[in-house]
Amino acid sequence: MSPAIKCLILLAVVALLFVTELIPLAITATAAAVACGLLGLIPAKQVFSGLSNSTVVLFAGMFVVGAAMFYTGLAQAIGNKVVHICGTGENSLMFGLMLVGTVLSSVLSNTGTAACLLPVALGICSAAKIPASRQLMPLAFACGWGGIITMVGTPPNIIATGAMTAAGLPAFGFFEFAWIGIPVSVAGMLYMMFIGKHLLPKVELDADQEIEQEIEANETSSTKMIISGVILLAVVVVMALGIKGITLEMAAIVGALVCVLTGCLTEKQA
């Protein structure tokens, strides 16, 4: 059997396990990497060589900095404020959810952003007698396209930047993705507001429906909220300015360390 066929079979098995979640996702991913070495698809010494890539460090740092926003409750507070300002009208609520989802997911976890806004959307939909599904799908889309606005908005952007650097080519700038990301986001919002909303399903959900959160807020201190917001802003500014001598990885890790030192989240949570 050729290596190509082996690779396709392995990919199919991994995809099946990811979809069905018969075993934990982390185990599936790790086992797949080991299988690549055992099957001879890549040299055994290269199975985990990717972990030494600086891009992995950048991921780790930004995940912690972003998580601090959720643990302190700042992301949830921003979502609550914006959505309540937009009111309970179906169109205005849809616009508010998409706007805050797009902005937050541009620098935070897409999944985390959607998760923290779900209870807000369900509560307002229940009070306003609006089918929740007509708001949750636009929110999900907004959190998806929001990630393509900045370099740290979604992992593929960081990976592409790392590949450019590894190839000896000029890396993408922090906001360089925005030239495409912002027009796509605006187009997506306009489509959902004027066309997509007519195709959305009408499914009622209760405001008190149990929702599995990626990260639960465990802080109510407004001081911690401000600190986590300032840290994220500082990290983004340093990355965007491209200050000489400070790499993206260094900025992310310093931000993560400060988040832990200031108590925005615990060492275990980080």
Side-chain angles (χ1 to χ4, degrees):
M1 187 181 298
S2 67
I5 298 299
K6 291 180 181 179
C7 185
L8 287 175
I9 293 175
L10 177 61
L11 181 62
V13 172
V14 170
L16 177 64
L17 292 176
F18 273 147
V19 172
T20 59
E21 296 189 29
L22 293 176
I23 58 178
L25 299 181
I27 294 179
T28 299
T30 305
V34 173
C36 286
L38 294 176
L39 293 174
L41 301 180
I42 58 175
K45 291 184 178 181
Q46 294 183 12
V47 171
F48 297 113
S49 62
L51 295 176
S52 64
N53 193 306
S54 59
T55 300
V56 177
V57 180
L58 178 56
F59 278 141
M62 289 309 299
F63 283 157
V64 174
V65 174
M69 291 272 289
F70 297 114
Y71 279 120
T72 60
L74 178 58
Q76 292 88 328
I78 293 174
N80 275 322
K81 188 66 175 179
V82 173
V83 172
H84 279 93
I85 289 176
C86 291
T88 56
E90 186 175 74
N91 288 336
S92 60
L93 179 59
M94 183 183 296
F95 175 76
L97 283 171
M98 288 195 294
L99 179 62
V100 71
T102 299
V103 174
L104 288 179
S105 63
S106 68
V107 290
L108 303 176
S109 162
N110 298 3
T111 307
T113 298
C116 82
L117 292 176
L118 279 176
V120 180
L122 287 177
I124 294 180
C125 287
S126 178
K129 305 300 181 183
I130 299 174
S133 61
R134 296 181 62 79
Q135 302 296 330
L136 298 186
M137 191 178 288
L139 170 62
F141 288 144
C143 292
W145 64 54
I148 62 176
I149 293 178
T150 69
M151 186 175 63
V152 298
T154 185
N157 291 1
I158 301 178
I159 293 173
T161 302
M164 293 284 285
T165 303
L169 300 173
F172 294 117
F174 188 85
F175 286 110
E176 197 165 350
F177 290 92
W179 290 102
I180 294 176
I182 291 179
V184 168
S185 298
V186 171
M189 293 176 70
L190 291 175
Y191 173 81
M192 290 305 302
M193 291 291 295
F194 295 102
I195 301 177
K197 68 177 183 179
H198 299 295
L199 307 175
L200 295 172
K202 295 183 178 181
V203 180
E204 298 288 350
L205 292 174
D206 296 328
D208 57 354
Q209 181 147 350
E210 186 176 344
I211 299 172
E212 182 180 352
Q213 290 276 22
E214 182 184 63
I215 298 176
E216 293 279 5
N218 62 354
E219 278 283 352
T220 56
S221 168
S222 58
T223 301
K224 295 288 180 63
M225 289 185 185
I226 295 173
I227 292 174
S228 66
V230 170
I231 292 172
L232 175 64
L233 180 62
V235 171
V236 169
V237 169
V238 170
M239 288 182 171
L241 294 178
I243 300 175
K244 188 175 181 180
I246 303 179
T247 64
L248 300 178
E249 298 79 19
M250 291 169 62
I253 292 300
V254 169
L257 292 174
V258 175
C259 285
V260 175
L261 291 175
T262 54
C264 291
L265 74 173
T266 66
E267 180 184 0
K268 183 176 180 180
Q269 290 168 339

